[in-house]
Amino acid sequence: MSWDAIYRLVKRIPRGRVTTYGEIARVLKVRGGARVVGYAMAGSPSGQGIPWHRVVGAGGKLIIREPHGSLQRRLLESEGVEILGMRINYKLYGWPPVRKGVRKRVRRPAKIPRRT
DNA sequence: CATCTGACGACCG
DNA sequence: GCGGTCGCCAGAT
């Protein structure tokens, strides 16, 4: 897994929305899971428009320690994301990375060949 | 090669 | 809901 793929996905997060390390890990099938995604973000090259601040912990928790924590907080608030304590209302601001045009199609029990 | 350290997350009490 | 544990794995030492 190249971190580049992670960065590309993060770039797609719209302003005012957030997603989680775990989500990214699942969608891109990162071997190391969420933790490695966090590691990738920590090493994300600055000045390349990567909105790292839009990536939060599971459930919308802000887990970044200082000195970047407060920065993330500021950036998010400037985008209109409401922060309560150390967390965000993920139900409201969460952005699903998955292309959900593809809803899970429930397998119809196909018509039972009715014998007469 | 052995250990340690995380911008994580699921679980459990 | 909150803190503690444990599993995860990629670098750093």
Side-chain angles (χ1 to χ4, degrees):
Chain A
M1 166 59 55
S2 65
W3 291 7
D4 199 55
I6 297 176
Y7 297 147
R8 277 202 301 278
L9 179 57
V10 171
K11 281 187 185 173
R12 290 178 26 206
I13 306 175
R15 264 180 69 90
R17 307 301 298 280
V18 302
T19 192
T20 71
Y21 299 98
E23 271 299 290
I24 294 174
R26 273 196 297 275
V27 172
L28 298 183
K29 301 197 163 41
V30 180
R31 292 220 323 131
R35 198 161 206 176
V36 168
V37 173
Y39 193 65
M41 294 311 297
S44 67
S46 59
Q48 296 193 30
I50 299 174
W52 56 269
H53 59 282
R54 295 181 191 146
V55 184
V56 301
K61 280 187 301 193
L62 297 180
I63 57 184
I64 304 178
R65 298 192 298 278
E66 294 306 319
H68 306 85
S70 52
L71 174 58
Q72 178 184 38
R73 199 185 178 85
R74 250 187 31 237
L75 290 172
L76 287 175
E77 287 177 331
S78 75
E79 294 184 352
V81 177
E82 192 176 355
I83 302 174
L84 305 85
M86 283 304 279
R87 62 182 338 193
I88 290 171
N89 184 336
Y90 194 69
K91 307 284 288 201
L92 191 59
Y93 298 103
W95 175 73
V98 281
R99 284 305 190 198
K100 277 312 194 195
V102 291
R103 14 182 212 310
K104 215 156 284 184
R105 184 172 293 288
V106 179
R107 179 169 301 290
R108 181 112 42 94
K111 36 181 69 83
I112 300 169
R114 177 171 298 286
R115 300 181 299 99
T116 55

